[in-house]
């Protein structure tokens, strides 16, 4: 072999090794999702964050969404055990483990999901993270859905009319609200609500307006009571397997975290707000009977009376968590209500 041919061969081998190393360096993050592909979480939040991650890591980390991996409450365990690398879920699906997250769910906050989500993230990091409720997970975002409203098969004219009705409740603060109303609580993941309404297993559901469209409730829940600010907000976490994160190069870990946290939380809240707006339009176009309650109306006063003492009940429920929950709750409300 001539010296020139040898150099060409060596260069080709070096290039091949370099390309191979580059290909090997690309990592796919497997993200589990349990909502329908058309839901804002899957149509907007994950695709947006995936783009941020790919751009921030210069293509070294890509996202793959996987469906059908089980009940949303199992997402925490799937990520902890490394079955998937990341996911999200509703804290209320795991009663007992997540208590502090109910701070953002308390009634009468009076803000949208984006404002609540940013406050949720800030207060979690300042007050709640040290309590260890998310041990085994790397929390990369926190958000809420929009105001939870009352969706019924048949019309009701007062909250008292709900007594004894079979209502699907997802856990968290809505469970306490349902208890105070005297409803018959039925547990089930949100994607099952349409089928349960259609079959008459439940009379209604407490859920945001967006699900009139995303879960097609406009077809089966033709009566909605929309209270000002809703009855509650629902707390969600977005989380990653710590070992997966640790297995990435330091620069990619830093890049992913830079496009997560408050930035991801705010974006998720915005997406769910937009979903609520679309849900309202879809419900109106489908002829759903929507009672838009105003402050001062009888229904509004009835709900405010119903919530008396809930703050104190929450504070007592987290008294063993070793945090200043009273200060956290007050600051959360200040941050959310002053958010622009």
């Amino acid at each position: 072999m001539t010296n020139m041919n040898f150099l060409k061969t060596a260069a080709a081998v070096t290039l091949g090794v370099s390309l191979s190393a580059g290909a090997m360096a690309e990592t796919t993050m497997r993200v589990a999702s349990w909502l329908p592909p058309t839901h804002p979480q899957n149509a907007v939040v994950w695709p947006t964050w995936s783009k941020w991650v790919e751009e921030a890591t210069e293509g070294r980390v890509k996202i793959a969404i996987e469906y059908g991996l089980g009940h949303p409450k199992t997402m925490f365990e799937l990520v902890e055990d490394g079955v998937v690398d990341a996911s999200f879920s509703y804290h209320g699906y795991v009663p007992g483990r997540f208590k502090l997250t109910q701070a953002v769910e308390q009634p009468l906050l009076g803000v949208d999901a984006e404002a609540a989500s940013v406050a949720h993230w800030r207060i979690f990091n300042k007050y709640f993270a040290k309590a260890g409720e998310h041990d085994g997970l790397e929390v990369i975002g926190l958000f809420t859905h929009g105001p939870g409203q009352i969706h019924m098969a048949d019309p009701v004219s007062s909250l008292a009319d709900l007594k004894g009705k079979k209502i699907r409740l997802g856990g968290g603060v809505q469970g306490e609200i349902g208890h105070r109303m005297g409803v018959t609580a039925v547990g089930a993941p949100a994607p099952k609500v349409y089928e349960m309404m259609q079959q008459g297993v439940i009379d209604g559901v407490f859920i945001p307006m967006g699900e009139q469209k995303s879960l097609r409730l406009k077809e089966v829940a033709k009566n909605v009571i929309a209270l000002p600010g809703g009855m509650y907000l629902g707390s969600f976490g977005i989380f990653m397997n710590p070992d997966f994160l640790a297995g990435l190069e330091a620069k990619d870990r830093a890049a992913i975290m830079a496009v997560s946290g408050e930035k991801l939380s705010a974006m998720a809240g915005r997406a769910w707000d937009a979903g609520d707006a679309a849900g309202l339009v879809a419900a109106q176009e489908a002829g759903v009977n929507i009672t838009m309650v105003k402050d001062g109306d009888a229904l509004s006063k009835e709900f405010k009376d119903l919530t008396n003492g809930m703050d104190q009940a929450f504070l007592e429920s987290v008294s063993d968590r070793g945090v200043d929950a009273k200060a956290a709750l007050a600051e959360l409300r200040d941050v959310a209500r002053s958010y622009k």
Side-chain angles (χ1 to χ4, degrees):
M1 179 182 294
T2 66
N3 190 49
M4 182 61 71
N5 286 338
F6 174 82
L7 291 175
K8 287 180 179 179
T9 301
V13 170
T14 300
L15 178 61
V17 170
S18 176
L19 290 172
S20 175
M24 290 174 63
E26 183 181 298
T27 300
T28 298
M29 184 192 306
R30 298 173 59 222
V31 175
S33 187
W34 43 274
L35 284 168
T38 54
H39 191 282
Q41 181 69 27
N42 297 318
V44 178
V45 179
W46 286 128
T48 301
W49 186 67
S50 297
K51 182 180 179 183
W52 290 352
V53 167
E54 289 191 28
E55 290 177 348
T57 62
E58 299 176 323
R60 289 183 296 274
V61 180
K62 297 184 182 297
I63 312 296
I65 309 299
E66 299 187 8
Y67 296 94
L69 295 179
H71 190 290
K73 69 181 179 182
T74 66
M75 297 299 115
F76 300 101
E77 294 175 2
L78 290 177
V79 174
E80 285 172 337
D81 295 343
V83 177
V84 291
D85 305 314
S87 188
F88 78 107
S89 196
Y90 178 58
H91 289 114
Y93 284 140
V94 190
R97 176 176 180 178
F98 301 108
K99 292 184 178 180
L100 292 167
T101 53
Q102 290 185 20
V104 77
E105 296 190 355
Q106 296 302 311
L108 310 180
L109 183 59
V111 301
D112 62 16
E114 181 180 354
S117 299
V118 169
H120 198 5
W121 176 257
R122 293 181 188 176
I123 297 311
F124 169 78
N125 284 282
K126 183 174 180 178
Y127 292 94
F128 296 158
K130 63 184 179 183
E133 290 186 339
H134 292 80
D135 280 354
L137 299 165
E138 182 74 32
V139 181
I140 61 171
L142 293 163
F143 69 93
T144 75
H145 62 45
Q149 306 290 11
I150 302 167
H151 305 247
M152 302 293 295
D154 298 318
V156 294
S157 58
S158 73
L159 301 185
D161 292 345
L162 294 171
K163 187 174 182 179
K165 297 288 187 184
K166 298 184 297 261
I167 305 294
R168 178 269 178 185
L169 300 177
V173 165
Q174 62 176 291
E176 174 61 19
I177 292 171
H179 173 72
R180 289 174 175 234
M181 290 179 177
V183 308
T184 299
V186 180
K192 293 289 187 182
V193 170
Y194 179 94
E195 179 183 351
M196 296 171 76
M197 290 285 292
Q198 188 180 47
Q199 295 177 352
V201 175
I202 56 176
D203 301 306
V205 58
F206 297 168
I207 211 161
M209 191 63 75
E211 275 53 60
Q212 280 283 325
K213 179 178 180 180
S214 66
L215 298 182
R216 295 163 45 219
L217 296 189
K218 61 184 180 179
E219 300 172 14
V220 291
K222 302 293 283 187
N223 298 275
V224 175
I225 293 178
L227 290 155
M231 296 187 295
Y232 64 94
L233 299 172
S235 171
F236 293 79
I238 305 175
F239 39 86
M240 191 181 299
N241 180 281
D243 293 334
F244 173 83
L245 190 61
L248 300 174
E249 292 186 32
K251 62 182 178 181
D252 289 336
R253 290 198 300 273
I256 290 171
M257 298 309 288
V259 296
S260 301
E262 185 170 318
K263 181 177 182 178
L264 172 58
S265 302
M267 184 267 288
R270 279 196 304 276
W272 284 58
D273 282 334
D276 281 351
L280 176 59
V281 171
Q284 290 169 333
E285 291 177 347
V288 173
N289 174 35
I290 304 172
T291 301
M292 302 297 293
V293 182
K294 297 184 177 66
D295 272 321
D297 288 354
L299 273 166
S300 177
K301 291 178 180 178
E302 189 181 4
F303 180 70
K304 287 180 180 178
D305 289 344
L306 183 87
T307 64
N308 286 337
M310 285 189 64
D311 276 9
Q312 189 57 37
F314 163 71
L315 295 176
E316 290 173 2
S317 75
V318 298
S319 61
D320 62 344
R321 289 310 205 237
V323 303
D324 189 347
K326 185 175 182 179
L329 183 59
E331 189 170 331
L332 184 148
R333 288 169 171 164
D334 286 342
V335 172
R337 291 166 181 166
S338 63
Y339 179 75
K340 304 297 182 184

PDB file of all heavy atoms in Angstrom, residues 121-135:
ATOM      1  N   TRP A 121     -44.599  25.635  40.771  1.00  0.00           N
ATOM      2  CA  TRP A 121     -43.182  25.300  40.621  1.00  0.00           C
ATOM      3  C   TRP A 121     -42.326  26.061  41.635  1.00  0.00           C
ATOM      4  O   TRP A 121     -41.448  25.487  42.289  1.00  0.00           O
ATOM      5  CB  TRP A 121     -42.724  25.599  39.199  1.00  0.00           C
ATOM      6  CG  TRP A 121     -41.250  25.371  39.013  1.00  0.00           C
ATOM      7  CD1 TRP A 121     -40.265  26.311  38.945  1.00  0.00           C
ATOM      8  CD2 TRP A 121     -40.589  24.104  38.904  1.00  0.00           C
ATOM      9  NE1 TRP A 121     -39.033  25.711  38.811  1.00  0.00           N
ATOM     10  CE2 TRP A 121     -39.213  24.359  38.778  1.00  0.00           C
ATOM     11  CE3 TRP A 121     -41.038  22.785  38.899  1.00  0.00           C
ATOM     12  CZ2 TRP A 121     -38.269  23.334  38.654  1.00  0.00           C
ATOM     13  CZ3 TRP A 121     -40.093  21.759  38.780  1.00  0.00           C
ATOM     14  CH2 TRP A 121     -38.740  22.043  38.654  1.00  0.00           C
ATOM     15  N   ARG A 122     -42.570  27.346  41.760  1.00  0.00           N
ATOM     16  CA  ARG A 122     -41.748  28.156  42.661  1.00  0.00           C
ATOM     17  C   ARG A 122     -41.915  27.736  44.115  1.00  0.00           C
ATOM     18  O   ARG A 122     -40.937  27.618  44.862  1.00  0.00           O
ATOM     19  CB  ARG A 122     -42.101  29.640  42.494  1.00  0.00           C
ATOM     20  CG  ARG A 122     -41.708  30.211  41.138  1.00  0.00           C
ATOM     21  CD  ARG A 122     -42.076  31.686  41.053  1.00  0.00           C
ATOM     22  NE  ARG A 122     -41.887  32.210  39.697  1.00  0.00           N
ATOM     23  CZ  ARG A 122     -42.207  33.445  39.316  1.00  0.00           C
ATOM     24  NH1 ARG A 122     -42.733  34.296  40.202  1.00  0.00           N
ATOM     25  NH2 ARG A 122     -42.016  33.846  38.073  1.00  0.00           N
ATOM     26  N   ILE A 123     -43.155  27.513  44.532  1.00  0.00           N
ATOM     27  CA  ILE A 123     -43.409  27.166  45.928  1.00  0.00           C
ATOM     28  C   ILE A 123     -42.915  25.753  46.234  1.00  0.00           C
ATOM     29  O   ILE A 123     -42.398  25.491  47.327  1.00  0.00           O
ATOM     30  CB  ILE A 123     -44.916  27.299  46.249  1.00  0.00           C
ATOM     31  CG1 ILE A 123     -45.350  28.752  46.077  1.00  0.00           C
ATOM     32  CG2 ILE A 123     -45.222  26.792  47.651  1.00  0.00           C
ATOM     33  CD1 ILE A 123     -44.482  29.803  46.757  1.00  0.00           C
ATOM     34  N   PHE A 124     -43.038  24.851  45.275  1.00  0.00           N
ATOM     35  CA  PHE A 124     -42.509  23.507  45.471  1.00  0.00           C
ATOM     36  C   PHE A 124     -41.020  23.560  45.778  1.00  0.00           C
ATOM     37  O   PHE A 124     -40.538  22.934  46.726  1.00  0.00           O
ATOM     38  CB  PHE A 124     -42.764  22.661  44.214  1.00  0.00           C
ATOM     39  CG  PHE A 124     -42.030  21.349  44.207  1.00  0.00           C
ATOM     40  CD1 PHE A 124     -42.487  20.266  44.946  1.00  0.00           C
ATOM     41  CD2 PHE A 124     -40.870  21.191  43.455  1.00  0.00           C
ATOM     42  CE1 PHE A 124     -41.806  19.056  44.948  1.00  0.00           C
ATOM     43  CE2 PHE A 124     -40.184  19.987  43.449  1.00  0.00           C
ATOM     44  CZ  PHE A 124     -40.647  18.921  44.195  1.00  0.00           C
ATOM     45  N   ASN A 125     -40.284  24.312  44.971  1.00  0.00           N
ATOM     46  CA  ASN A 125     -38.829  24.357  45.154  1.00  0.00           C
ATOM     47  C   ASN A 125     -38.422  25.089  46.424  1.00  0.00           C
ATOM     48  O   ASN A 125     -37.434  24.719  47.066  1.00  0.00           O
ATOM     49  CB  ASN A 125     -38.173  24.993  43.927  1.00  0.00           C
ATOM     50  CG  ASN A 125     -38.123  24.034  42.759  1.00  0.00           C
ATOM     51  OD1 ASN A 125     -37.296  23.144  42.712  1.00  0.00           O
ATOM     52  ND2 ASN A 125     -39.051  24.183  41.820  1.00  0.00           N
ATOM     53  N   LYS A 126     -39.176  26.093  46.798  1.00  0.00           N
ATOM     54  CA  LYS A 126     -38.829  26.869  47.989  1.00  0.00           C
ATOM     55  C   LYS A 126     -39.219  26.153  49.275  1.00  0.00           C
ATOM     56  O   LYS A 126     -38.475  26.187  50.265  1.00  0.00           O
ATOM     57  CB  LYS A 126     -39.493  28.244  47.937  1.00  0.00           C
ATOM     58  CG  LYS A 126     -39.135  29.148  49.115  1.00  0.00           C
ATOM     59  CD  LYS A 126     -39.698  30.555  48.944  1.00  0.00           C
ATOM     60  CE  LYS A 126     -39.334  31.428  50.141  1.00  0.00           C
ATOM     61  NZ  LYS A 126     -39.842  32.830  49.974  1.00  0.00           N
ATOM     62  N   TYR A 127     -40.368  25.484  49.286  1.00  0.00           N
ATOM     63  CA  TYR A 127     -40.904  24.922  50.520  1.00  0.00           C
ATOM     64  C   TYR A 127     -41.034  23.398  50.543  1.00  0.00           C
ATOM     65  O   TYR A 127     -40.763  22.762  51.562  1.00  0.00           O
ATOM     66  CB  TYR A 127     -42.299  25.503  50.797  1.00  0.00           C
ATOM     67  CG  TYR A 127     -42.332  26.963  51.153  1.00  0.00           C
ATOM     68  CD1 TYR A 127     -42.541  27.928  50.171  1.00  0.00           C
ATOM     69  CD2 TYR A 127     -42.190  27.385  52.467  1.00  0.00           C
ATOM     70  CE1 TYR A 127     -42.606  29.279  50.496  1.00  0.00           C
ATOM     71  CE2 TYR A 127     -42.253  28.732  52.816  1.00  0.00           C
ATOM     72  CZ  TYR A 127     -42.458  29.677  51.819  1.00  0.00           C
ATOM     73  OH  TYR A 127     -42.515  31.004  52.146  1.00  0.00           O
ATOM     74  N   PHE A 128     -41.515  22.825  49.439  1.00  0.00           N
ATOM     75  CA  PHE A 128     -42.025  21.459  49.505  1.00  0.00           C
ATOM     76  C   PHE A 128     -41.045  20.368  49.082  1.00  0.00           C
ATOM     77  O   PHE A 128     -41.187  19.217  49.503  1.00  0.00           O
ATOM     78  CB  PHE A 128     -43.288  21.326  48.646  1.00  0.00           C
ATOM     79  CG  PHE A 128     -44.447  22.164  49.111  1.00  0.00           C
ATOM     80  CD1 PHE A 128     -45.464  22.517  48.230  1.00  0.00           C
ATOM     81  CD2 PHE A 128     -44.538  22.607  50.426  1.00  0.00           C
ATOM     82  CE1 PHE A 128     -46.544  23.279  48.654  1.00  0.00           C
ATOM     83  CE2 PHE A 128     -45.606  23.379  50.854  1.00  0.00           C
ATOM     84  CZ  PHE A 128     -46.622  23.724  49.960  1.00  0.00           C
ATOM     85  N   ALA A 129     -40.073  20.686  48.239  1.00  0.00           N
ATOM     86  CA  ALA A 129     -39.190  19.651  47.698  1.00  0.00           C
ATOM     87  C   ALA A 129     -38.489  18.872  48.807  1.00  0.00           C
ATOM     88  O   ALA A 129     -38.305  17.652  48.716  1.00  0.00           O
ATOM     89  CB  ALA A 129     -38.174  20.267  46.747  1.00  0.00           C
ATOM     90  N   LYS A 130     -38.093  19.577  49.867  1.00  0.00           N
ATOM     91  CA  LYS A 130     -37.335  18.938  50.950  1.00  0.00           C
ATOM     92  C   LYS A 130     -38.148  17.896  51.708  1.00  0.00           C
ATOM     93  O   LYS A 130     -37.587  17.069  52.428  1.00  0.00           O
ATOM     94  CB  LYS A 130     -36.832  19.998  51.924  1.00  0.00           C
ATOM     95  CG  LYS A 130     -37.930  20.775  52.634  1.00  0.00           C
ATOM     96  CD  LYS A 130     -37.349  21.879  53.512  1.00  0.00           C
ATOM     97  CE  LYS A 130     -38.441  22.685  54.208  1.00  0.00           C
ATOM     98  NZ  LYS A 130     -37.871  23.802  55.014  1.00  0.00           N
ATOM     99  N   ALA A 131     -39.479  17.892  51.547  1.00  0.00           N
ATOM    100  CA  ALA A 131     -40.319  16.918  52.254  1.00  0.00           C
ATOM    101  C   ALA A 131     -40.204  15.519  51.654  1.00  0.00           C
ATOM    102  O   ALA A 131     -40.629  14.543  52.273  1.00  0.00           O
ATOM    103  CB  ALA A 131     -41.775  17.371  52.252  1.00  0.00           C
ATOM    104  N   GLY A 132     -39.676  15.415  50.439  1.00  0.00           N
ATOM    105  CA  GLY A 132     -39.389  14.108  49.854  1.00  0.00           C
ATOM    106  C   GLY A 132     -40.574  13.349  49.283  1.00  0.00           C
ATOM    107  O   GLY A 132     -40.491  12.134  49.092  1.00  0.00           O
ATOM    108  N   GLU A 133     -41.669  14.046  48.973  1.00  0.00           N
ATOM    109  CA  GLU A 133     -42.822  13.335  48.419  1.00  0.00           C
ATOM    110  C   GLU A 133     -42.525  12.740  47.041  1.00  0.00           C
ATOM    111  O   GLU A 133     -43.197  11.792  46.626  1.00  0.00           O
ATOM    112  CB  GLU A 133     -44.029  14.268  48.341  1.00  0.00           C
ATOM    113  CG  GLU A 133     -44.599  14.639  49.698  1.00  0.00           C
ATOM    114  CD  GLU A 133     -45.890  15.446  49.619  1.00  0.00           C
ATOM    115  OE1 GLU A 133     -46.156  16.064  48.553  1.00  0.00           O
ATOM    116  OE2 GLU A 133     -46.637  15.463  50.614  1.00  0.00           O
ATOM    117  N   HIS A 134     -41.539  13.301  46.358  1.00  0.00           N
ATOM    118  CA  HIS A 134     -41.180  12.803  45.026  1.00  0.00           C
ATOM    119  C   HIS A 134     -39.864  12.026  45.038  1.00  0.00           C
ATOM    120  O   HIS A 134     -39.200  11.904  44.001  1.00  0.00           O
ATOM    121  CB  HIS A 134     -41.067  13.969  44.036  1.00  0.00           C
ATOM    122  CG  HIS A 134     -42.366  14.643  43.722  1.00  0.00           C
ATOM    123  ND1 HIS A 134     -42.939  15.578  44.557  1.00  0.00           N
ATOM    124  CD2 HIS A 134     -43.211  14.523  42.663  1.00  0.00           C
ATOM    125  CE1 HIS A 134     -44.075  16.014  44.028  1.00  0.00           C
ATOM    126  NE2 HIS A 134     -44.266  15.391  42.883  1.00  0.00           N
ATOM    127  N   ASP A 135     -39.490  11.492  46.197  1.00  0.00           N
ATOM    128  CA  ASP A 135     -38.253  10.716  46.255  1.00  0.00           C
ATOM    129  C   ASP A 135     -38.264   9.615  45.201  1.00  0.00           C
ATOM    130  O   ASP A 135     -39.277   8.939  44.999  1.00  0.00           O
ATOM    131  CB  ASP A 135     -38.079  10.085  47.641  1.00  0.00           C
ATOM    132  CG  ASP A 135     -37.546  11.081  48.666  1.00  0.00           C
ATOM    133  OD1 ASP A 135     -37.212  12.223  48.276  1.00  0.00           O
ATOM    134  OD2 ASP A 135     -37.485  10.718  49.861  1.00  0.00           O
TER     135      ASP A 135
END
